[in-house]
Amino acid sequence: MSNTTETKTAPPHGLPPQDKGGPLARFLKATELDTRLLGMLGALALIWIGFHVYGAVFNGFGAFLTPRNLWNLSVQTSSIGIMACGMVLVIVTRHIDLSVGSVLGFCAVVMGVTQVYVLPPLMGVGHPMIWIIAVIAGMIAGTFVGAIHGWLIAYRAIPAFIVTLGGLLVWRGVAFLITSGETISPVDQTFKLLGGGPYGAVGEVGSWIVGALGCIAVVVMVLNSRKQRTRFGFVMRSVWADYFIGGISCAAVIGSVLLVNSYPWPKGIVKRYVAETGIEVPAEGLFISHGFAIPVLILVVVVICMTILMQRTRFGRYVYAIGGNPEAATLSGINTKWMTVKIFALMGFLTGLSAVVASARLGSATNALGTLDELYVIAAAVIGGTSLAGGIGTIYGAVLGALVMQSLQTGMVLIGFDAAIQQIVVGAVLVFAVYLDNLYRKSAK
Amino acid sequence: MSNTNTPLVEMRDICISFGGVHAVDHVSVELHPGEVVGLLGHNGAGKSTLIKILSGAYAMDSGEILINGEKAEIRNPRDARSYNIETIYQTLALADNLDTASNLFLGRELVTPFGLVDDDAMEAEAREIMARLNPNFQKFNDPVSALSGGQRQSVAIARAVYFNAQILIMDEPTAALGPHETQMVSELIQKLKAEGIGIFLISHDIHDVMTLCDRASVMKNGKLVGTVDVDSVTDDDLLSMIILGKHPHQKEA
Ligand SMILES: Nc1ncnc2c1ncn2[C@@H]1O[C@H](COP(=O)(O)OP(=O)(O)O)[C@@H](O)[C@H]1O
Ligand SMILES: [Mg+2]
């Protein structure tokens, strides 16, 4: 019935770009930029500049917009950011996961026990396979726990709220039983690099390589999308708009490389490094760049993979479909129950990965690791525009949400607000962000 | 398909109940290639439930389904699709947050050689079929929640028609349509019928049933009142079957 061969010769479809509205409206239309994304970036810029200026005026020193602080901010955002990516899927499908903080603690303990108590006697301390096996063990533990939650939710019809509320208590308790409340340390030296720190970063050259790959990816994506649209004769974004977006993206990538490369190792670390390696120190001193921290690169890889998963695979399409109309998804032949198991297993997998970052950063594993993280992860996703009603949410939004929250906390620490105020502000921002989002959605209709 | 004496679909002695309510109670219907069978009855008569068993949405309690004379196992919507059964649901069953093309291909996405969904190819196909079904349709890049009732209905119809159905189920397909669009659906039904497709048409419009259908089955309170040749009855006969549950002349039973 359908005649696919004629498609290619079909005339251009759609309406031509209209020249209505003010210059800003026309610009947005031509570039097809996501106004929500712009709004979030604007809010972030406001927060950053606000804290910097506040510090400069009241404390005599603006500490926020410094390479050191921004680098630390990126590392601190990683753990919550990784989990927020999974939480988007959970919330988009109208579920919730209250257990991620506890599961993170449980995974960290599993990895701690594996690399400190189980493997060294078998393989010898510092064996290069130890950290790999430990990481795999932790992520399997997380995936398994998530799959159990998903199975109870999908096949035993227990609400996600209850299953994961139970999980919050159960897995924290299990973590305590395993450790008897004691801290497990020291973790494997290679494992520790996954948490960041001067050694746990890829350095100047490494960062430039990452930056170059990023720019190449941007160019390929822009060209590919033009090619696709030509193939079907769709209306094209004008060339200047494509160049503009590609240019901005590349500039952002290069800017971040310059930023992380301008943050040097602390003097003490440099001294120790010089003593260990015996390299020559030039007269003007040794400037060793941090470069991108490994946990940040892990987060970037997670964001890229999860974005592809959500936007370009059937799995992601079904996640949105289930969120939009579960009945329609079922009637379209989607196995919604099995999807739920997979979504929660993926949430667990990412929680395990986040546990790697968190416990490597700490250099140990404790049963209390990740306490209250579930609230920050859910808040990150929601601030990032994920709708609790289901069907709506993006990966980049959730990560930006995590960054907004971490920025608020870091900023308040820098200007000397205490923990009580931090809680009040973060809580208020969460509620306010959802309110703004409602307004935005109403006006967008 | 070659032997027109073998029904395309035969639903035999179907029963299903929901918590004690016999929604469908020992109902048998059949459908031949190139035939349009109307399903009539009041709200709550069990029409939608009956066809949802055929489309795999519900599992029947007892009874059997034969497709082309062979016993068919339809346990879920995917099974139904594998028998080339397509359904336009009364509720339309659209994911409101997805655009037209995504809904059209939901569960059967076109993919690139790398296995990624090919949105541009799907949009091109969607534009082509919508151009045939509803030439005024333009909103391809909006979620279907932004569409009017009629536009949503045409998306649901397009989805059923696109995949070369052998058996088409239409549950009140014109409920949200204006007169012009309703006329287009009537023409579509006649065209598909001419292609040899079998169609179950649920409708409240007696006139539609009289003009489009070859036979009509009437249900009341989950039971089959009877099946009649449309040519051998009047509008009033059908109405009395629906309202009184009375068979006009027992010749068909
Ligand atoms: N999923 C369900 N759960 C419980 N009862 C149902 C369900 N689906 C249908 N019913 C009941 O079955 C009966 C038939 O409904 P339906 O098939 O929708 O009627 P019709 O389509 O003829 O208007 C009604 O009494 C309805 O309440
Ligand atoms: Mg109905």
Side-chain angles (χ1 to χ4, degrees), chain A residues 115-116 125-132 134 186-193 363:
Chain A
Q115 62 186 306
V116 177
V125 176
H127 189 284
M129 285 302 289
I130 287 182
W131 75 273
I132 298 176
V187 295
D188 181 85
Q189 283 308 307
T190 315
F191 181 81
K192 215 171 161 184
L193 301 183

Side-chain angles (χ1 to χ4, degrees), chain A residues 327, chain B residues 16-19 21-24 39-52 58 90 171-172 202 204 219 221-222:
Chain A
E327 197 204 346
Chain B
I16 188 172
S17 48
F18 298 104
V21 179
H22 294 281
V24 175
L39 281 177
L40 292 164
H42 280 309
N43 276 333
K47 309 179 296 288
S48 294
T49 306
L50 179 68
I51 59 94
K52 277 186 170 180
Y58 291 151
Q90 190 170 8
D171 195 349
E172 311 204 12
I202 299 179
H204 274 134
M219 288 178 72
N221 299 331

Side-chain angles (χ1 to χ4, degrees), chain A residues 3 312 314 318 332-333 391, chain B residues 78 81 94 97 109 117 128:
Chain A
N3 191 344
R312 301 298 314 274
R314 287 189 163 148
Y318 298 167
S332 299
Chain B
R78 258 165 303 151
R81 284 180 168 187
L94 300 174
N97 54 337
E109 288 74 12
V117 293
E128 196 181 307

